[in-house]
Amino acid sequence: MKATESGARNFQRAADILGLEPSIRQRLLTPYREVKVECPLLRDDGSVATFVGYRVQHDQSRGPMKGGIRFHPEADEDEVTALATAMTWKTAVAGLPYGGAKGGIAVDPATLSRSELERLSRVFVQRLHDVIGPNVDIPGPDMGTNATVMGWMADEYSKYHGWTPGVVTGKPLDLGGSEGRVAATGRGLVLGAECLFADEHRLISDFTYAIQGFGNVGIWAARLIHERGGRITAVSDVTGALRNPHGLDVTALIDHTRQNGSIQGFPDAEPFTGADLIAENVDVLIPAALGGVITRENAHRIRARYILEGANGPTDADADEVLAAQGIIVLPDIFANAGGVTVSYFEWVQNLQNYYWDETRVNEELKRTIQKAWRDLRATANELACDLRTAAYVLAVRRVWRATEQRGS
Ligand code: GLU
């Protein structure tokens, strides 16, 4: 299923509940601006490779547009549009004064040298600099990008506009990045899970977990779950999966992954096929990698009681129906992984004020934001007697529509 189709189905369900007219639906779904750019890259060997980059700016009714830039071979117009739209709903659920955007270049960053990666990051900003800005559209990190890339992007933008750290978030600390940003998505996921479990008088430590994807989000979620006494019995990455029913040694696994670039070869665990991770016999499944991984075809294999969506769009709309029939509770991406953009928001606030917070303050404010979003989400789900994804979309679409209406046209 196309990513935009899945997102549109979630939107239409919420719009039905809210009784929105077709013209309003069309207005809310149509992106504000879509930019597609040529990104020529001078390779280290003197040849030139040309990549295609996208920035989709979906909505700005609640504030400047916000969202990551992804460097991934599968980044395309459809995916970037779906992710930009999801950012609009995500910032609304989290109560951040932002709209949504997303960008991407169809490239595998692992095939680039460091200097090629830097040149490509700079070329992208050269093409985009007149349509982004701290009051317009603020990119951040996503799959395949990191603090180093964000630092180059801030520097490149500043060549045109003067030093403007608030134009991108997720920067290195020395360039105006925020304490706590790297851990933020994983931390937000765990804080969100604590809210969900607390409603059932349960704790993180009551459950076993399987994590799909051991990148930034998966690693931080694993570390924080482990610290709280949760038992992680399986993880996977692009090289395959590992299990240990007694619980993986998470600290050692993170060290191993940092040293070797993947989980492959980690001792004290049984290797198995990555595609089978979703069928692990655990209480909680955490997809924390690519979108579209849980589909009508494989959803019936899931044995977990809960799915915490660390990734964007891991579950398509068909799969949601299968999961609902199985009674599986899904903590939806537009709430579950909002911790990253929330601390990006804190970073932007600090940049605009030139006043920097310590990590304790960042983490406390993150907790307050997630807990407030959870109260709103739970209240909406209770009021409508619906699942959490439907409630999150209703909450978000209602907020975005209200702002759009009050701005007038
Ligand atoms: N890429 C993250 C997300 O999907 C964060 C975006 C940002 O910080 O702007 O929410």
Side-chain angles (χ1 to χ4, degrees):
M1 180 183 288
K2 276 166 61 178
T4 47
E5 188 189 327
S6 188
R9 268 187 30 202
N10 293 326
F11 168 83
Q12 296 295 0
R13 199 167 55 249
D16 287 346
I17 291 170
L18 293 166
L20 298 184
E21 299 290 328
S23 61
I24 296 171
R25 298 180 191 215
Q26 197 181 0
R27 169 109 194 252
L28 291 179
L29 271 188
T30 308
Y32 170 77
R33 175 159 53 197
E34 296 176 62
V35 184
K36 181 174 176 181
V37 293
E38 165 212 52
C39 297
L41 168 67
L42 178 65
R43 303 296 301 249
D44 292 344
D45 65 6
S47 64
V48 175
T50 301
F51 298 93
V52 178
Y54 308 92
R55 184 75 183 167
V56 176
Q57 300 174 328
H58 173 254
D59 189 273
Q60 56 177 349
S61 57
R62 301 181 58 263
M65 296 171 282
K66 184 86 193 83
I69 291 180
R70 153 174 306 203
F71 287 176
H72 192 275
E74 279 159 34
D76 62 21
E77 264 167 282
D78 186 78
E79 185 192 63
V80 174
T81 303
L83 292 167
T85 312
M87 287 308 299
T88 299
W89 313 136
K90 191 187 300 185
T91 52
V93 167
L96 309 178
Y98 282 143
K102 200 80 167 201
I105 300 183
V107 63
D108 179 357
T111 62
L112 304 180
S113 70
R114 186 181 160 91
S115 55
E116 288 172 338
L117 185 64
E118 174 171 354
R119 284 198 292 279
L120 187 64
S121 304
R122 290 185 185 278
V123 166
F124 195 38
V125 174
Q126 287 159 21
R127 297 295 190 270
L128 287 181
H129 76 90
D130 49 4
V131 294
I132 61 173
N135 292 314
V136 182
D137 176 9
I138 306 131
D142 197 82
M143 282 174 66
T145 56
N146 55 24
T148 307
V149 169
M150 293 301 124
W152 291 326
M153 289 188 169
D155 181 68
E156 193 62 27
Y157 180 86
S158 298
K159 288 179 186 167
Y160 298 91
H161 303 276
W163 179 235
T164 317
V167 65
V168 297
T169 59
K171 300 176 294 294
L173 284 178
D174 294 317
L175 297 180
S178 179
E179 296 285 356
R181 176 63 186 85
V182 177
T185 311
R187 187 176 296 279
L189 185 87
V190 174
L191 290 168
E194 281 177 332
C195 293
L196 172 70
F197 298 158
D199 272 13
E200 299 176 10
H201 309 288
R202 307 298 291 268
L203 299 167
I204 296 281
S205 54
D206 291 338
F207 299 117
T208 55
Y209 300 79
I211 303 181
Q212 183 193 51
F214 215 54
N216 184 43
V217 180
I219 284 179
W220 275 100
R223 173 178 289 185
L224 296 168
I225 288 167
H226 181 69
E227 270 175 30
R228 286 159 174 73
R231 188 150 48 97
I232 295 157
T233 59
V235 299
S236 69
D237 69 6
V238 284
T239 64
L242 295 172
R243 72 160 72 85
N244 182 339
H246 305 294
L248 291 158
D249 181 341
V250 170
T251 314
L253 180 59
I254 293 171
D255 286 347
H256 173 93
T257 306
R258 295 238 156 96
Q259 273 157 31
N260 300 280
S262 78
I263 62 172
Q264 204 174 28
F266 181 69
D268 295 333
E270 175 203 343
F272 66 104
T273 311
D276 291 338
L277 183 105
I278 63 162
E280 279 298 280
N281 187 13
V282 288
D283 302 309
V284 184
L285 175 65
I286 305 181
L290 280 172
V293 291
I294 302 175
T295 63
R296 184 186 288 287
E297 284 66 48
N298 66 14
H300 66 275
R301 298 184 64 204
I302 295 176
R303 291 193 278 173
R305 280 171 54 199
Y306 302 97
I307 298 177
L308 313 178
E309 295 187 328
N312 286 314
T315 311
D316 75 24
D318 284 341
D320 262 335
E321 290 168 16
V322 179
L323 299 176
Q326 288 172 219
I328 296 172
I329 296 171
V330 179
L331 199 66
D333 51 1
I334 58 172
F335 168 76
N337 69 37
V341 71
T342 299
V343 176
S344 275
Y345 164 59
F346 299 157
E347 179 174 330
W348 178 76
V349 166
Q350 293 170 76
N351 293 152
L352 296 186
Q353 299 187 343
N354 277 302
Y355 182 75
Y356 287 85
W357 309 352
D358 63 19
E359 194 185 346
T360 307
R361 174 161 178 199
V362 170
N363 290 343
E364 273 168 9
E365 300 252 4
L366 173 61
K367 190 171 179 179
R368 272 200 312 136
T369 304
I370 299 290
Q371 290 180 344
K372 165 78 170 72
W374 171 255
R375 286 195 299 277
D376 295 346
L377 180 56
R378 176 47 89 198
T380 309
N382 288 351
E383 172 199 323
L384 300 171
C386 67
D387 62 278
L388 293 169
R389 192 184 316 278
T390 304
Y393 271 81
V394 167
L395 188 61
V397 173
R398 187 160 50 197
R399 285 178 176 167
V400 174
W401 171 238
R402 264 195 219 142
T404 307
E405 205 177 22
Q406 287 173 61
R407 275 179 177 243
S409 46

